Amino acid sequence: MQKDIQLTRLEIKEVEAKLQKEIQQTSLDIKEVEARLSKEIHLLDLKIAENTSKTAETKAELVRWVVGVGLLQTTLISGILLKVAHLI
């Protein structure tokens, strides 16, 4: 009976040691995944900032085109109206 108890205690200690190793390995794995995710999040933040910048540039360029076309259209209409006014 005493031997059985000692064997059981040894088995428990072995299981505890294995669990400790697994916990340590899992902790290391989690830290590794956290580091990778942190890098990926940083890269995504950089891409978002880059896309935001490109969007702002595109928006500014679009505004310039719209204003330019509007001025051209106004000039053409004014010219046509002046031409028509001189014919009358």
Side-chain angles (χ1 to χ4, degrees):
M1 177 109 159
Q2 197 70 344
K3 287 183 182 180
D4 290 339
I5 293 173
Q6 287 177 345
L7 283 176
T8 304
R9 285 182 181 162
L10 285 174
E11 289 173 352
I12 289 172
K13 286 182 181 182
E14 287 175 8
V15 169
E16 284 178 343
K18 286 180 184 178
L19 285 174
Q20 268 310 55
K21 286 180 183 178
E22 287 181 21
I23 289 170
Q24 288 174 350
Q25 185 60 45
T26 303
S27 178
L28 291 174
D29 292 345
I30 289 171
K31 286 179 183 178
E32 182 181 318
V33 169
E34 284 177 342
R36 272 191 279 140
L37 286 175
S38 179
K39 286 179 185 178
E40 288 182 27
I41 288 170
H42 180 69
L43 288 174
L44 286 174
D45 285 343
L46 291 175
K47 286 181 181 180
I48 288 170
E50 181 182 327
N51 285 340
T52 302
S53 175
K54 286 181 181 179
T55 302
E57 290 174 15
T58 303
K59 187 176 181 179
E61 190 173 331
L62 182 61
V63 168
R64 282 193 297 268
W65 272 95
V66 168
V67 169
V69 168
L71 288 173
L72 178 62
Q73 183 180 9
T74 303
T75 304
L76 286 173
I77 290 171
S78 298
I80 291 171
L81 287 174
L82 287 172
K83 208 56 154 163
V84 168
H86 287 297
L87 291 175
I88 295 177

